[in-house]
Amino acid sequence: MSELTSPPPADQLAAVTLDSDEIPKAEFSDRVPIHSIIRREDGGSGLAGKKARVGGWVKTGRKADKDAFAFLELNDGSCAGNLQVIVEASLADLGQLVLTGTSVVIDGHLKLPPAGTKQKIELRADKVLHVGPVDPAKYPLPKGRLTLEFLRDFVHLRSRTNAISAVARIRNALAYATHTFFNKHGFLYVHTPIVTTSDCEGAGEMFQVTTLFSEAERLEKDLIQNPPPTEADIEAAKLVVQEKGEVVSQLKSAKANKKEISAAVDELKKSKENVSKLEERSKLQPGIPRKDGKVDYTKDFFARQAFLTVSGQLQVESYVCALSSVYTFGPTFRAENSHTSRHLAEFWMVEPEIAFADLQDDMNCAEAYVKFLCQWLLDNCLEDMQFMADKIDKGCIDRLKLVASTPFVRLSYTEAVEILEESVKNGKKFENEVKWGIDLASEHERYLTEVKYQKPVIVYNYPKDIKAFYMRLNDDSKTVAAMDVLVPKVGELIGGSQREERYDVIQQRIKEMDLPVEPYEWYLDLRRYGTVKHAGFGLGFERMILFATGLENIRDVIPFPRYPGRADL
């Protein structure tokens, strides 16, 4: 009997089943990713003679040699580059194949192109396995340059364009880099809730989560189809209860057997329950439930007011007070009716929190994180960044190099205001007035980063009146231990602070800002029980992508933008 052995690893098994001249396919897809061909150091020329099955979408196509064959520029999204595919007329309808947007799966052999061409390798088709046709009269993304504004009307298709697919890969790289950075430094990833009952910023610009409207509509429809009982209906039901009660009394008086009495009592209970239901239903009124002239949220799904979160910070603080170093990375929402190129109604935030840390630690972490992201793109996403440099912003790669390698400037809010005031004296004009106590506008932030220092700037110790209640009050009682990381092109990229860990101080700050105490009782518990010095910050993920790519509008760096009047798909 032969000895039993373990089967070979899956990757070895796959290699065994391949022909010696066939390129390995993607692990979970029946095709060779284009990037594994053209992104080699030799541009793919070393694969000449190998067989490959590729799939993708036609970027451009043209027929040649009196329609004897066609050249296709094929892209599968795995990289910015295209693979040139040559298909003879005997294999497929070339008229359909050359249309922009057509999807194809093709078996073929990789060949060296003629000398002098820009391609290092091309695929000569042996067989066309699949064609996903496109009607050129209806396809909304024709061949040619399309504006980013135009593409916002086709968010379900715009990822097929070079610019948006490059943004998608850059966004993916920054997300991967984010998790890599925080895991490397011992942070735990915590999923904080999207539905919340507390307002982190205290600004009140929150989307409400409620079922009251849908329930009101359902009730209104139900009351039309099944009108509520009248007083006569209720009186009739009460008479039935009275009759059933008399039956029970008579049976007991007559000393009837237990079975008869139990049956009669059951009938009496059912009659009483029917009266209760009728009385309850008679009180139903169409519309939103109210109590004492106000909306009665005890009738809502969560039995209280609930909102889409503007930040996961408060909730993740409950974990930093137990696990020391944590971060959350997820969607946040703000119901601000803003149409600027820097605002979205739904956006993503990266929010780390560090226990036993002060404002200096917070600034150190923020600077290290931003530098890490910039270097990551240079090391891992250079092809897409070169596309951005060619098509969008010539200085974007140099900007990444600068930020990755240069110490950030650090100055207090007071020093920043003095610098801005001095610039005004020297003739600089700002739309927004410069004086101590203002919240710095984007034009002020960009002046500091693009004109004065030409590098990132961290401004710290802001006036308490323009910052949130949870930021630690400084000894001067006028400022809080807050910091903002400002970068060229965007302005504020990060906002953070040392958190107020003193129970009596934060309680007073909540009162000063006229916030209701009850929703924050759990937050105050973190200061009542084992309070600890801690700090954290929030990075607007879309703003980081704006900074990296040089794109002008934040709606172009998120896959499905939500802003006033638009929530497509």
Coordinates of all heavy atoms in Angstrom, one line a residue, residues 113-180:
P113 N 6.4 43.9 -30.7 CA 5.9 44.8 -31.7 C 7.1 45.2 -32.7 O 8.2 45.0 -32.3 CB 5.3 46.0 -31.0 CG 6.1 46.0 -29.7 CD 6.5 44.6 -29.4
P114 N 6.7 45.8 -33.8 CA 7.8 46.2 -34.7 C 8.7 47.3 -34.0 O 8.3 48.0 -33.1 CB 7.0 46.9 -35.9 CG 5.7 46.2 -35.8 CD 5.4 46.0 -34.4
A115 N 9.9 47.3 -34.4 CA 10.9 48.3 -33.8 C 10.4 49.7 -34.0 O 9.8 50.1 -35.1 CB 12.3 48.1 -34.4
G116 N 10.6 50.6 -33.0 CA 10.2 52.0 -33.1 C 8.9 52.3 -32.6 O 8.5 53.5 -32.4
T117 N 8.1 51.3 -32.2 CA 6.8 51.6 -31.6 C 6.9 51.8 -30.1 O 7.9 51.3 -29.5 CB 5.8 50.5 -31.9 OG1 6.3 49.2 -31.4 CG2 5.5 50.3 -33.4
K118 N 6.0 52.5 -29.5 CA 6.1 52.8 -28.0 C 5.8 51.5 -27.2 O 6.3 51.4 -26.0 CB 5.1 53.9 -27.7 CG 3.7 53.6 -27.8 CD 2.8 54.7 -27.3 CE 1.3 54.4 -27.4 NZ 0.5 55.5 -26.9
Q119 N 5.0 50.6 -27.7 CA 4.7 49.4 -26.9 C 6.0 48.5 -26.8 O 6.8 48.4 -27.7 CB 3.6 48.6 -27.5 CG 2.3 49.3 -27.6 CD 2.1 50.1 -28.8 OE1 2.9 50.1 -29.7 NE2 1.0 50.9 -28.9
K120 N 6.1 47.8 -25.7 CA 7.2 46.8 -25.5 C 6.7 45.4 -25.8 O 7.5 44.5 -26.0 CB 7.7 46.9 -24.0 CG 8.3 48.2 -23.6 CD 9.6 48.5 -24.4 CE 10.2 49.8 -24.0 NZ 10.6 49.9 -22.6
I121 N 5.3 45.2 -25.8 CA 4.7 43.9 -26.0 C 3.3 44.1 -26.5 O 2.7 45.2 -26.2 CB 4.8 43.1 -24.7 CG1 4.5 41.6 -25.0 CG2 3.7 43.6 -23.7 CD1 5.7 40.9 -25.6
E122 N 2.8 43.2 -27.3 CA 1.4 43.3 -27.7 C 0.9 41.9 -27.8 O 1.6 40.9 -27.8 CB 1.3 44.0 -29.1 CG 2.1 43.3 -30.2 CD 2.1 44.1 -31.5 OE1 1.8 45.3 -31.4 OE2 2.4 43.5 -32.5
L123 N -0.4 41.8 -27.8 CA -1.1 40.4 -27.9 C -1.7 40.2 -29.2 O -2.5 41.0 -29.7 CB -2.2 40.3 -26.8 CG -2.8 39.0 -26.6 CD1 -1.9 38.0 -25.8 CD2 -4.2 39.1 -25.9
R124 N -1.3 39.1 -29.9 CA -2.0 38.7 -31.1 C -3.1 37.7 -30.8 O -2.8 36.6 -30.3 CB -0.9 38.1 -32.1 CG 0.3 38.9 -32.4 CD -0.1 40.1 -33.3 NE 1.0 40.9 -33.6 CZ 1.9 40.8 -34.6 NH1 1.6 39.9 -35.5 NH2 2.9 41.6 -34.8
A125 N -4.3 38.1 -31.1 CA -5.4 37.2 -30.7 C -5.5 35.9 -31.5 O -5.3 35.9 -32.7 CB -6.7 38.0 -30.9
D126 N -5.7 34.8 -30.7 CA -6.0 33.5 -31.3 C -7.5 33.2 -31.4 O -8.0 32.6 -32.3 CB -5.3 32.4 -30.6 CG -3.8 32.6 -30.6 OD1 -3.2 33.1 -31.6 OD2 -3.1 32.3 -29.6
K127 N -8.2 33.8 -30.3 CA -9.6 33.5 -30.2 C -10.3 34.6 -29.4 O -9.7 35.0 -28.3 CB -9.8 32.1 -29.5 CG -11.2 31.6 -29.5 CD -11.3 30.2 -28.9 CE -12.7 29.7 -29.0 NZ -12.8 28.3 -28.4
V128 N -11.4 35.0 -29.8 CA -12.2 36.0 -29.1 C -13.3 35.2 -28.3 O -14.2 34.6 -28.9 CB -12.9 37.1 -30.0 CG1 -13.7 38.0 -29.2 CG2 -11.8 37.8 -30.7
L129 N -13.2 35.2 -27.0 CA -14.1 34.4 -26.2 C -15.4 35.1 -25.7 O -16.4 34.5 -25.5 CB -13.4 33.9 -24.9 CG -12.1 33.1 -25.2 CD1 -11.4 32.9 -23.8 CD2 -12.4 31.8 -25.9
H130 N -15.3 36.4 -25.6 CA -16.5 37.2 -25.1 C -16.4 38.6 -25.7 O -15.3 39.2 -25.8 CB -16.4 37.3 -23.6 CG -17.4 38.3 -23.1 ND1 -18.7 38.1 -22.9 CD2 -17.2 39.6 -22.6 CE1 -19.3 39.2 -22.4 NE2 -18.4 40.1 -22.2
V131 N -17.6 39.1 -26.1 CA -17.7 40.5 -26.5 C -19.0 41.1 -25.8 O -20.1 40.6 -25.9 CB -17.9 40.6 -28.0 CG1 -18.1 42.1 -28.4 CG2 -16.7 40.1 -28.7
G132 N -18.8 42.1 -25.0 CA -19.8 42.9 -24.4 C -20.1 44.1 -25.2 O -19.3 45.1 -25.1
P133 N -21.0 44.1 -26.1 CA -21.2 45.2 -27.1 C -21.6 46.5 -26.5 O -22.2 46.6 -25.4 CB -22.2 44.7 -28.1 CG -23.0 43.8 -27.3 CD -22.1 43.1 -26.2
V134 N -21.4 47.6 -27.2 CA -21.8 49.0 -26.9 C -22.5 49.6 -28.1 O -22.0 49.5 -29.2 CB -20.5 49.8 -26.5 CG1 -20.9 51.3 -26.5 CG2 -20.0 49.4 -25.1
D135 N -23.6 50.3 -27.8 CA -24.2 51.0 -28.9 C -23.6 52.4 -28.8 O -23.9 53.2 -27.9 CB -25.7 51.1 -28.6 CG -26.5 51.9 -29.7 OD1 -25.8 52.6 -30.5 OD2 -27.7 51.8 -29.7
P136 N -22.8 52.8 -29.8 CA -22.1 54.1 -29.8 C -23.1 55.3 -29.8 O -22.7 56.4 -29.3 CB -21.3 54.1 -31.0 CG -21.9 53.1 -32.0 CD -22.5 52.1 -31.1
A137 N -24.3 55.1 -30.3 CA -25.3 56.2 -30.3 C -25.8 56.5 -28.9 O -26.3 57.6 -28.7 CB -26.4 55.9 -31.3
K138 N -25.7 55.5 -28.0 CA -26.3 55.7 -26.7 C -25.2 55.7 -25.6 O -25.5 56.2 -24.5 CB -27.3 54.5 -26.4 CG -28.5 54.5 -27.3 CD -29.4 53.4 -27.0 CE -30.6 53.3 -27.9 NZ -31.5 52.2 -27.6
Y139 N -24.1 55.2 -25.8 CA -23.0 55.1 -24.8 C -22.6 56.6 -24.4 O -22.2 57.3 -25.2 CB -21.8 54.4 -25.3 CG -20.8 54.1 -24.3 CD1 -21.1 53.5 -23.1 CD2 -19.4 54.5 -24.5 CE1 -20.1 53.2 -22.1 CE2 -18.4 54.2 -23.5 CZ -18.8 53.6 -22.3 OH -17.8 53.4 -21.4
P140 N -22.8 56.9 -23.1 CA -22.6 58.3 -22.7 C -21.1 58.7 -22.5 O -20.9 59.9 -22.3 CB -23.3 58.4 -21.3 CG -23.3 57.0 -20.8 CD -23.3 56.1 -22.0
L141 N -20.2 57.8 -22.6 CA -18.8 58.2 -22.5 C -18.0 57.9 -23.8 O -17.3 56.9 -23.9 CB -18.1 57.4 -21.3 CG -18.8 57.5 -20.0 CD1 -18.0 56.7 -18.9 CD2 -18.9 58.9 -19.5
P142 N -18.2 58.7 -24.8 CA -17.6 58.5 -26.1 C -16.1 58.7 -26.0 O -15.6 59.2 -25.0 CB -18.2 59.5 -27.0 CG -18.6 60.7 -26.0 CD -19.0 60.0 -24.8
K143 N -15.4 58.2 -27.1 CA -14.0 58.4 -27.2 C -13.7 59.9 -27.2 O -14.4 60.7 -27.8 CB -13.5 57.8 -28.4 CG -12.0 58.0 -28.7 CD -11.7 57.3 -30.0 CE -10.2 57.6 -30.4 NZ -9.9 56.9 -31.8
G144 N -12.7 60.4 -26.4 CA -12.3 61.8 -26.4 C -12.3 62.3 -24.9 O -12.7 61.6 -24.0
R145 N -11.8 63.5 -24.7 CA -11.6 64.0 -23.4 C -12.9 64.5 -22.9 O -13.6 65.3 -23.5 CB -10.6 65.2 -23.5 CG -10.1 65.7 -22.1 CD -9.0 66.7 -22.3 NE -8.6 67.2 -21.0 CZ -7.6 66.7 -20.3 NH1 -7.0 65.6 -20.7 NH2 -7.2 67.1 -19.1
L146 N -13.3 64.1 -21.7 CA -14.5 64.5 -21.0 C -14.2 65.2 -19.7 O -13.2 64.9 -19.0 CB -15.3 63.2 -20.7 CG -15.7 62.3 -21.9 CD1 -16.3 61.0 -21.4 CD2 -16.7 63.0 -22.8
T147 N -15.0 66.3 -19.4 CA -14.7 67.0 -18.2 C -15.1 66.3 -17.0 O -16.1 65.5 -17.0 CB -15.4 68.4 -18.2 OG1 -16.8 68.2 -18.2 CG2 -15.1 69.2 -19.5
L148 N -14.5 66.5 -15.9 CA -14.8 65.9 -14.6 C -16.2 66.3 -14.2 O -17.0 65.5 -13.6 CB -13.8 66.2 -13.5 CG -12.4 65.7 -13.8 CD1 -11.4 66.3 -12.8 CD2 -12.4 64.2 -13.7
E149 N -16.6 67.5 -14.5 CA -18.0 68.0 -14.2 C -19.0 67.2 -14.9 O -20.0 66.7 -14.4 CB -18.1 69.4 -14.5 CG -19.4 70.0 -14.0 CD -19.5 71.5 -14.2 OE1 -18.6 72.1 -14.9 OE2 -20.4 72.2 -13.7
F150 N -18.8 66.9 -16.2 CA -19.7 66.1 -17.0 C -19.8 64.7 -16.5 O -20.9 64.1 -16.4 CB -19.1 66.1 -18.5 CG -19.9 65.1 -19.4 CD1 -21.1 65.4 -20.0 CD2 -19.3 63.8 -19.6 CE1 -21.7 64.5 -20.8 CE2 -20.0 62.9 -20.4 CZ -21.2 63.3 -21.0
L151 N -18.7 64.1 -16.0 CA -18.7 62.8 -15.5 C -19.5 62.6 -14.2 O -19.9 61.5 -13.9 CB -17.2 62.3 -15.3 CG -16.4 62.1 -16.5 CD1 -14.9 61.8 -16.2 CD2 -17.0 61.0 -17.4
R152 N -19.7 63.7 -13.5 CA -20.5 63.5 -12.3 C -21.9 63.2 -12.5 O -22.6 62.7 -11.6 CB -20.4 64.9 -11.5 CG -19.1 65.1 -10.8 CD -19.0 66.5 -10.1 NE -17.7 67.0 -10.3 CZ -17.4 68.3 -10.4 NH1 -18.4 69.2 -10.5 NH2 -16.2 68.7 -10.6
D153 N -22.4 63.3 -13.8 CA -23.7 62.9 -14.1 C -23.8 61.4 -14.5 O -24.9 60.9 -14.7 CB -24.2 63.7 -15.3 CG -24.5 65.2 -14.9 OD1 -24.9 65.4 -13.8 OD2 -24.4 66.1 -15.8
F154 N -22.6 60.8 -14.5 CA -22.6 59.3 -14.8 C -21.6 58.6 -13.8 O -20.7 58.0 -14.2 CB -22.1 59.1 -16.2 CG -22.9 59.8 -17.3 CD1 -22.6 61.1 -17.8 CD2 -24.1 59.3 -17.7 CE1 -23.3 61.7 -18.7 CE2 -24.9 59.9 -18.7 CZ -24.5 61.2 -19.2
V155 N -22.0 58.7 -12.5 CA -21.1 58.2 -11.5 C -21.0 56.7 -11.6 O -20.0 56.1 -11.2 CB -21.5 58.6 -10.1 CG1 -21.4 60.0 -9.9 CG2 -23.0 58.1 -9.8
H156 N -22.0 56.0 -12.2 CA -21.9 54.6 -12.4 C -21.0 54.1 -13.5 O -20.6 52.9 -13.6 CB -23.3 54.0 -12.6 CG -24.0 54.5 -13.8 ND1 -24.3 55.9 -14.0 CD2 -24.5 53.9 -14.9 CE1 -24.9 56.1 -15.1 NE2 -25.0 54.9 -15.7
L157 N -20.6 55.0 -14.4 CA -19.7 54.7 -15.5 C -18.4 55.4 -15.5 O -17.5 55.0 -16.2 CB -20.4 55.0 -16.8 CG -21.7 54.3 -17.2 CD1 -22.4 54.8 -18.4 CD2 -21.4 52.8 -17.4
R158 N -18.3 56.5 -14.7 CA -17.1 57.3 -14.8 C -15.8 56.6 -14.3 O -14.7 57.1 -14.7 CB -17.3 58.6 -14.0 CG -17.3 58.5 -12.5 CD -17.4 59.8 -11.8 NE -17.4 59.7 -10.3 CZ -17.2 60.8 -9.5 NH1 -17.1 62.0 -10.0 NH2 -17.2 60.6 -8.2
S159 N -15.9 55.5 -13.6 CA -14.7 54.8 -13.2 C -14.0 54.2 -14.4 O -12.9 53.7 -14.3 CB -15.0 53.8 -12.1 OG -16.0 52.9 -12.6
R160 N -14.6 54.2 -15.6 CA -14.0 53.6 -16.8 C -13.0 54.6 -17.4 O -12.3 54.3 -18.3 CB -15.1 53.2 -17.8 CG -16.0 52.2 -17.3 CD -17.0 51.7 -18.4 NE -17.9 50.8 -17.9 CZ -18.8 50.1 -18.7 NH1 -18.7 50.2 -20.0 NH2 -19.6 49.2 -18.2
T161 N -13.1 55.9 -17.0 CA -12.2 56.9 -17.5 C -10.8 56.8 -16.9 O -10.7 56.4 -15.7 CB -12.8 58.3 -17.4 OG1 -12.9 58.6 -16.0 CG2 -14.2 58.4 -18.0
N162 N -9.8 57.3 -17.5 CA -8.4 57.3 -17.0 C -8.3 58.0 -15.7 O -7.7 57.5 -14.8 CB -7.5 57.8 -18.1 CG -7.4 57.0 -19.3 OD1 -7.6 55.8 -19.3 ND2 -7.0 57.6 -20.4
A163 N -8.9 59.2 -15.6 CA -8.7 60.1 -14.5 C -9.4 59.4 -13.2 O -8.7 59.3 -12.2 CB -9.3 61.4 -14.7
I164 N -10.6 59.0 -13.3 CA -11.3 58.5 -12.2 C -10.8 57.1 -11.8 O -10.7 56.8 -10.6 CB -12.8 58.4 -12.5 CG1 -13.4 59.8 -12.8 CG2 -13.6 57.8 -11.3 CD1 -13.2 60.8 -11.7
S165 N -10.3 56.3 -12.7 CA -9.7 55.0 -12.3 C -8.4 55.2 -11.6 O -8.1 54.5 -10.7 CB -9.6 54.1 -13.6 OG -8.7 54.7 -14.5
A166 N -7.7 56.2 -12.0 CA -6.4 56.6 -11.3 C -6.7 57.0 -9.9 O -6.0 56.7 -9.0 CB -5.6 57.6 -12.1
V167 N -7.7 57.9 -9.8 CA -8.1 58.3 -8.4 C -8.5 57.1 -7.6 O -8.2 57.1 -6.4 CB -9.3 59.3 -8.5 CG1 -9.9 59.6 -7.1 CG2 -8.8 60.6 -9.1
A168 N -9.2 56.2 -8.2 CA -9.7 55.0 -7.4 C -8.5 54.2 -6.9 O -8.5 53.7 -5.7 CB -10.6 54.1 -8.2
R169 N -7.4 54.1 -7.7 CA -6.3 53.3 -7.3 C -5.5 54.1 -6.2 O -4.9 53.5 -5.3 CB -5.4 53.0 -8.5 CG -6.0 51.9 -9.3 CD -5.0 51.5 -10.4 NE -4.8 52.5 -11.4 CZ -5.6 52.6 -12.5 NH1 -6.5 51.8 -12.8 NH2 -5.3 53.6 -13.4
I170 N -5.4 55.4 -6.4 CA -4.7 56.3 -5.4 C -5.5 56.2 -4.1 O -4.9 56.1 -3.0 CB -4.6 57.7 -5.9 CG1 -3.6 57.8 -7.1 CG2 -4.2 58.7 -4.8 CD1 -3.6 59.1 -7.8
R171 N -6.8 56.3 -4.1 CA -7.6 56.2 -2.9 C -7.4 54.9 -2.2 O -7.3 54.8 -1.0 CB -9.1 56.4 -3.3 CG -10.0 56.5 -2.0 CD -11.5 56.6 -2.4 NE -12.3 56.6 -1.3 CZ -12.9 57.7 -0.7 NH1 -12.7 58.9 -1.3 NH2 -13.6 57.6 0.4
N172 N -7.4 53.8 -3.0 CA -7.1 52.5 -2.4 C -5.8 52.4 -1.7 O -5.6 51.9 -0.6 CB -7.2 51.4 -3.5 CG -6.8 50.1 -3.1 OD1 -7.5 49.4 -2.3 ND2 -5.6 49.6 -3.5
A173 N -4.8 53.0 -2.4 CA -3.4 53.0 -1.8 C -3.3 53.8 -0.5 O -2.7 53.3 0.4 CB -2.4 53.6 -2.8
L174 N -4.0 54.9 -0.5 CA -4.0 55.7 0.8 C -4.8 55.0 1.9 O -4.4 55.1 3.1 CB -4.7 57.1 0.5 CG -3.8 58.0 -0.3 CD1 -4.6 59.2 -0.7 CD2 -2.5 58.4 0.4
A175 N -5.8 54.3 1.6 CA -6.6 53.5 2.6 C -5.7 52.4 3.1 O -5.6 52.1 4.4 CB -7.9 52.9 2.0
Y176 N -5.0 51.7 2.2 CA -4.1 50.6 2.6 C -3.0 51.1 3.5 O -2.6 50.6 4.5 CB -3.6 49.9 1.4 CG -2.8 48.6 1.7 CD1 -3.5 47.4 1.9 CD2 -1.4 48.6 1.9 CE1 -2.8 46.2 2.1 CE2 -0.8 47.4 2.2 CZ -1.5 46.2 2.3 OH -0.8 45.1 2.6
A177 N -2.4 52.3 3.1 CA -1.4 52.9 3.8 C -1.8 53.3 5.2 O -1.0 53.2 6.2 CB -0.8 54.1 3.0
T178 N -3.1 53.8 5.3 CA -3.6 54.2 6.6 C -3.6 53.0 7.6 O -3.1 53.1 8.7 CB -5.0 54.8 6.4 OG1 -5.0 56.0 5.7 CG2 -5.7 54.9 7.8
H179 N -4.2 51.9 7.2 CA -4.2 50.7 8.0 C -2.8 50.2 8.3 O -2.5 49.8 9.4 CB -5.0 49.6 7.4 CG -6.5 49.9 7.3 ND1 -7.3 50.2 8.5 CD2 -7.3 50.1 6.3 CE1 -8.5 50.4 8.1 NE2 -8.6 50.4 6.8
T180 N -1.9 50.3 7.3 CA -0.5 49.9 7.5 C 0.2 50.7 8.6 O 0.9 50.2 9.5 CB 0.3 50.0 6.2 OG1 -0.4 49.1 5.2 CG2 1.7 49.5 6.4

